[in-house]
Structure formats: C-alpha cells, structure tokens
Amino acid sequence: MSDSISPSNPIPLIQDVTRQELREWMVSQDLPAYRADQVYTWLYQRRVAGFGEMANLGKPAKFALGAHFRIGRLEPAEALHSKDGSIKYRFVLDDGRSIESVLMEHADHHTVCVSSQVGCAMGCDFCQTAKMGLVRNLTPGEIVMQVLAARCDLPDGGNLRNIVFMGMGEPFHNYANVMRALEIFTDEYGFNFSQRRITVSTSGLLPQIRKFGQERVKANLAVSLNGVTDEVRTQLMPVNRTYNLQRLVEACKAYPLASHRRITFEYILMKGVTDSVDDAKRLIRLLHGLKFKVNLIPYNEAPGSKYQRPDWEDVRAFQQHLLGRGVVATLRISKGQDVQGACGQLIVSKSTARPAEALPA
Ligand code: SF4
C-alpha cells in the first residue's frame, strides 16, 4: 500500500492505491480480485462518492471497503475564471494546506495542469511557487483527485484530453508518488488516459530523468530550459549548479524516446534576459542532435516580479528564427494569465512555507 497516507487522516485514501494493490487487498479479505477492477471503474469512470453506490459490488466487499478506506474528494475552495475560459482552482487538503490546479480550455478539448507538491524546493528565480519553499509532497491520491475535480467541472460535452504536471512543485522531487498517479491515470479500468496525453515537466533532475526513461508508463518528458548559457540558467534555476546544461543535454540524448515522440523544452522568454535572437541561435546549437520541440512562453509578470514580459516583436523574432531553421517551436500564450494561473504563477498562503531544502541526490 502507499506510504503516503495523509498526515492528518489515518484512514487510507482509496485513491492512493493502485489497482494491482487493491486486487491483492481484496484477496487478503477473501474477496475476488476482480472486485478491485469494479471499484476502479466506479471511482474513476462513474465518479461515485461512496462505496454504497457501487451497485454491482456485493455487500461483503462494500462493507470491507468502508471499514478500511475512505473516498477522497477535492472541492474547490476557490475557482477563478479567466477571460480565456481557463479556471484556476484552489483546493484545501486534509491538513489545511492549499494547492492549485488549472483547467485550460482549447478549441476541442481541455487540459488540466496539476500540482505535485505543496510549494517547491527548487527555488527558480522567476517562479511564484518557489517563494513558498517546499511544504510537503502530495500523495498519489491528492494528485489524482485534482483531475477528478477538474473532470467534474467540465462543461457539458467537454473532453478532458491532456494532463500536464506543470503546476506547483517539481514532479521528479516527488517521484514515487507521481509514478503511482501515472499508473492510476493510465489504468484501463480507471481514467484510461493515453500515455501520450500526459506530460511530466522537470526542472532538470538528471537521476530521475534517467529513471523516468525506464518506466513502464511512457508519459511525455518536458524539460524546463529557460537559459541557454550556464550563467543565465544558474541565475534563473539553481538546479543548474548541480546539473549543468552539458550534463542535462547528455541525459536528454541518452533518454529512450518512444517512436514519434520528442522531448519538449520549455523556454520562458524574459525581456533582456532570455529573449534575444542570439539566445535562439545558442538554443539551436545546444539542442543539436536531439529529437525535440520548443514551447516558448512569454514571461507573465506577477506583482513584485523582477523580470519583465518580453516585447511582442522579440517574441516573434525568436520564434521565427527557430522555425526558419526547422525547429518545431510553439508559442504558448499562457492560459489563465489574468487570474495568476499561468506558468510560474501558482502560489498559495506563504504562511505554510518553510525554507527550500537541499537538492535531492
Ligand atoms: S518553476 Fe517549477 S521547479 Fe522551478 S520553483 Fe517553480 S514550481 Fe518549482
């Protein structure tokens, strides 16, 4: 079973449990293993709120489940609606900590951006979440419940197609729980998400990138690049002191990509810091030889931020330079900007913060 039981609620959360574990638990209770498959379908496809609603389960299974587990549910404490259709949610966890998720609207589908930690230890200089420091890791169920809540809030006929781990936290700093959440998201009896529709974004933790390449669930890898010299990247992202650009690129070259996949590099354009055509040229040289695409994100100024949004013509020039040299370069106009729900803008109560911890080994 999961080692990540909520600190304030000793009753295990059923959303922390993988289907295989639940099958084993059923057998330990003298119940047929397939009951676990049924429970998963009720939880993630029919989204019921109680074991009593799981009609085909039989009384013994319902009773045993009710005696051992609880079904968690995240209700938004706040939901801020952006002009572009995005919704930023704040959820309060069992221990009173808050996390944020964003539901983004696209032409024919939705994407949910989930948090993996309360706060973050990585200390990126441009990021609002970094100001909180790391408070704690989320359990697998707390990650899963963000997607359940977003799905419940979809408009009629809405199609939740993508999950991106780009909310609060460094997913690879909470590696085991994020992997368990991926298992639940892709389980055929559960959400049944396509592996291709899930993206995990890291600031560049090399040991975990290597490990991720060996996982059974092949979600997409995104790397937050943001600087194309060690000097600039270290200023923006302290992780670069431990894992510099050369080592990062080597790890990406060694990454076992599934066919027709690329690594996404996210690159935040900040005025006068990362937005010159010279930077675009360095980026191409740096990533030469990789199968990759670049996601350009014009910086979102937050109150008190020390970096500035780039000029539109510089954004265009940067993108055109990449496109002109055959680099796939998309421009992400951050969703939810007017509600501070865009990249690097998720932050909740500072009163829950503690100082950032040292980097994981
Ligand atoms: S950008 Fe990501 S990794 Fe860096 S501090 Fe913010 S949440 Fe953490």
Side-chain angles (χ1 to χ4, degrees):
M1 292 289 158
S2 170
D3 56 359
S4 357
I5 287 168
S6 165
S8 62
N9 195 331
I11 303 171
L13 184 65
I14 194 146
Q15 287 100 331
D16 276 338
V17 182
T18 65
R19 185 164 58 86
Q20 185 53 37
E21 289 170 337
L22 197 56
R23 287 178 71 92
E24 288 162 17
W25 180 84
M26 288 288 180
V27 172
S28 76
Q29 303 294 309
D30 293 327
L31 292 163
Y34 72 83
R35 291 289 184 215
D37 307 345
Q38 294 172 316
V39 170
Y40 249 56
T41 303
W42 284 109
L43 281 175
Y44 300 119
Q45 294 181 18
R46 305 204 182 176
R47 301 193 294 275
V48 298
F51 296 116
E53 295 173 53
M54 300 182 177
N56 58 355
L57 229 52
K59 272 187 188 161
K62 285 183 197 170
F63 181 80
L65 284 161
H68 286 84
F69 295 106
R70 67 195 161 98
I71 300 178
R73 202 181 184 96
L74 289 178
E75 299 287 351
E78 225 176 331
L80 299 176
H81 292 252
S82 165
K83 280 181 272 185
D84 66 18
S86 304
I87 308 171
K88 181 172 85 165
Y89 303 100
R90 183 171 66 83
F91 299 111
V92 180
L93 306 171
D94 283 344
D95 61 356
R97 311 287 193 191
S98 289
I99 52 165
E100 294 182 342
S101 322
V102 183
L103 182 63
M104 295 172 280
E105 188 179 62
H106 307 282
D108 62 348
H109 68 276
H110 284 74
T111 295
V112 62
C113 172
V114 296
S115 294
S116 54
Q117 297 179 307
V118 183
C120 185
M122 305 311 293
C124 299
D125 202 34
F126 53 85
C127 174
Q128 293 296 303
T129 306
K131 294 179 180 169
M132 299 173 66
L134 176 66
V135 180
R136 72 168 172 88
N137 284 331
L138 296 186
T139 72
E142 287 169 337
I143 297 170
V144 165
M145 286 190 293
Q146 294 172 62
V147 177
L148 275 174
R151 212 178 226 182
C152 286
D153 214 26
L154 280 180
D156 281 349
N159 171 21
L160 184 59
R161 206 168 71 183
N162 303 313
I163 302 172
V164 294
F165 282 78
M166 295 180 188
M168 299 168 74
E170 160 56 82
F172 283 174
H173 200 181
N174 183 18
Y175 191 88
N177 289 350
V178 167
M179 291 311 118
R180 291 168 68 86
L182 292 187
E183 203 174 324
I184 297 168
F185 288 142
T186 54
D187 191 293
E188 60 184 312
Y189 289 89
F191 288 93
N192 201 17
F193 265 100
S194 159
Q195 303 180 14
R196 292 176 170 273
R197 297 290 178 193
I198 304 175
T199 300
V200 181
S201 175
T202 178
S203 59
L205 296 178
L206 264 47
Q208 288 86 341
I209 288 177
R210 292 187 198 109
K211 209 169 162 192
F212 192 56
Q214 305 305 321
E215 295 290 344
R216 189 184 56 78
V217 175
K218 302 286 180 209
N220 298 307
L221 174 67
V223 175
S224 199
L225 185 64
N226 304 325
V228 285
T229 66
D230 279 321
E231 188 187 354
V232 170
R233 192 164 190 267
T234 299
Q235 175 197 330
L236 297 174
M237 305 179 72
V239 65
N240 197 67
R241 275 192 210 111
T242 312
Y243 305 120
N244 67 16
L245 280 171
Q246 190 194 337
R247 293 182 66 193
L248 177 63
V249 170
E250 278 167 11
C252 290
K253 282 187 177 160
Y255 187 80
L257 276 175
S259 59
H260 307 301
R261 302 257 204 129
R262 300 163 192 252
I263 297 176
T264 299
F265 287 92
E266 292 168 334
Y267 189 88
I268 303 182
L269 294 158
M270 301 175 206
K271 187 174 184 166
V273 183
T274 61
D275 64 344
S276 72
V277 169
D278 279 346
D279 289 323
K281 290 177 184 168
R282 283 188 207 104
L283 185 148
I284 292 171
R285 280 200 298 274
L286 182 72
L287 302 183
H288 180 74
L290 279 165
K291 278 171 75 181
F292 72 100
K293 61 183 174 183
V294 180
N295 197 2
L296 299 171
I297 308 158
Y299 180 68
N300 300 304
E301 277 177 35
S305 59
K306 64 181 181 190
Y307 298 102
Q308 290 176 296
R309 195 173 174 79
D311 293 331
W312 190 238
E313 47 276 25
D314 292 331
V315 173
R316 279 287 175 212
F318 197 107
Q319 185 187 27
Q320 285 309 319
H321 187 84
L322 297 184
L323 293 174
R325 275 133 196 96
V327 174
V328 179
T330 53
L331 186 58
R332 186 163 100 209
I333 305 302
S334 290
K335 298 274 176 184
Q337 213 169 301
D338 52 325
V339 294
Q340 302 287 293
C343 177
Q345 291 192 328
L346 298 184
I347 188 166
V348 290
S349 168
K350 287 183 194 165
S351 63
T352 59
R354 63 179 164 80
E357 288 181 342
L359 275 183

